[in-house]
Amino acid sequence: MNAVADTPVKDGVVADTFVDFREVFLAYDNSDECAVEDISLQTRPGEFIAIVGPSGCGKSTFMKLATGLKAPTRGTVHIAGQPVTGPLKFVGMAFQAPTLLPWRTTLDNVLLPLEIVEPYRRTFRKDRDKHVERALALLKTVGLDGYADKYPWQLSGGMQQRASICRALIHEPKMLLLDEPFGALDAFTREELWCVLRDLWTERKFNVILVTHDLREAAFLADTVYVMSKRPGRIVARRENPLPRPRDIDITYTEPFSALVHELREHIGRVRST
Ligand SMILES: Nc1ncnc2c1ncn2[C@@H]1O[C@H](COP(=O)(O)OP(=O)(O)OP(=O)(O)O)[C@@H](O)[C@H]1O
Ligand SMILES: [Mg+2]
């Protein structure tokens, strides 16, 4: 499935494309069967995409390919016009379980990528005050004003997840990868964090790949939703989100929203029954 088949191609890369997967296959070591098969997908710069599909279909594998943690067995992956040849630095990630380090305060957890990732690493000590200021501002945006000095075990699950999102964004990544980031949260906190993510994205327009089992989450947040089949994972549907922006939680109670969720649900039903 080529979303932008009519767009001009230069050196094999579609112009004005950020993520560019072309006929990508991946078989893990020593496996005859592919985990993902024939994935072709292009995103526009700043686009927010969601990937939904049954457990084990290859969603996390797709993420590994998009960040260069795994190389395709066949096919090509370009990000920002460059072939992906190894782990990318301009990526922020957050996962289902917040992975904060228990011996570090919230602030020091958020600052962690700057201590590791170049070009920040070299000058981290010298620029620390400036970074702390940015980290505190980011914590404030996600509603964690006043929690910078607390340790992860002093925060609720939702607060830890907010801090994880700050950590994923502190080095101003061009691409944010979210693998079931809100899966473990209660429905109210989840919706609150949808709005936090929506606001951060609206302000900064980074590229987002969100993996989720929650079709409402995909419908609320994404510009485009991709549905993957059971293993070996293929993209079986691509749906542009017709809902206008800005979107508020109220939109989730409207008829067009329900219709979109229903349609996605039908795709998943078909995928699960085959
Ligand atoms: N490191 C690995 N080595 C070998 N096989 C793997 C590895 N990681 C994943 N797989 C296999 O690849 C397939 C896809 O796994 P993946 O983790 O991408 O699925 P997923 O869609 O993210 O599932 P879930 O929704 O449960 O997180 C699965 O069959 C899994 O067993
Ligand atoms: Mg996964």
Side-chain angles (χ1 to χ4, degrees), residues 75-107:
T76 58
V77 179
H78 286 76
I79 306 282
Q82 302 293 321
V84 176
T85 53
L88 298 175
K89 294 197 184 109
F90 54 77
V91 179
M93 294 195 228
F95 305 100
Q96 176 164 11
T99 48
L100 302 175
L101 302 175
W103 59 88
R104 286 186 154 227
T105 61
T106 304
L107 175 66

Side-chain angles (χ1 to χ4, degrees), residues 28 35 54-61 64 213 231:
Y28 282 103
S55 183
C57 74
K59 301 182 295 296
S60 298
T61 302
K64 291 179 205 165
H213 288 128
R231 184 176 179 168

Side-chain angles (χ1 to χ4, degrees), residues 67-195:
T67 52
L69 293 174
K70 277 273 164 198
T73 311
R74 234 168 83 195
T76 58
V77 179
H78 286 76
I79 306 282
Q82 302 293 321
V84 176
T85 53
L88 298 175
K89 294 197 184 109
F90 54 77
V91 179
M93 294 195 228
F95 305 100
Q96 176 164 11
T99 48
L100 302 175
L101 302 175
W103 59 88
R104 286 186 154 227
T105 61
T106 304
L107 175 66
D108 285 337
N109 265 290
V110 172
L111 290 174
L112 187 65
L114 303 177
E115 295 173 38
I116 299 172
V117 180
E118 295 291 8
Y120 301 99
R121 181 182 164 166
R122 228 168 308 153
T123 55
F124 179 75
R125 274 173 203 280
K126 184 166 72 66
D127 295 340
R128 192 169 193 282
D129 291 350
K130 199 179 71 191
H131 294 320
V132 167
E133 203 176 306
R134 276 200 313 120
L136 293 176
L138 201 50
L139 284 168
K140 192 170 175 189
T141 338
V142 303
L144 283 181
D145 209 7
Y147 289 91
D149 296 330
K150 297 270 188 274
Y151 288 88
W153 41 271
Q154 295 174 302
L155 305 181
S156 71
M159 290 158 114
Q160 292 183 37
Q161 203 52 280
R162 287 165 205 255
S164 299
I165 291 173
C166 292
R167 186 183 52 187
L169 291 174
I170 190 71
H171 58 301
E172 305 203 325
K174 280 196 256 177
M175 181 157 82
L176 180 63
L177 300 190
L178 301 169
D179 199 343
E180 291 273 344
F182 312 129
L185 305 174
D186 69 83
F188 304 109
T189 311
R190 197 179 309 154
E191 290 185 0
E192 242 171 68
L193 289 193
W194 292 355
C195 296

Side-chain angles (χ1 to χ4, degrees), residues 47-53 59 62-63 94 165 175-183 194 197 207-226:
E47 187 174 350
F48 193 136
I49 70 163
I51 299 183
V52 298
K59 301 182 295 296
F62 177 89
M63 296 295 220
I165 291 173
M175 181 157 82
L176 180 63
L177 300 190
L178 301 169
D179 199 343
E180 291 273 344
F182 312 129
W194 292 355
L197 180 58
N207 298 268
V208 187
I209 305 177
L210 167 73
V211 160
T212 182
H213 288 128
D214 184 344
L215 303 180
R216 293 177 66 251
E217 182 168 298
F220 181 70
L221 286 167
D223 293 317
T224 315
V225 183
Y226 292 86

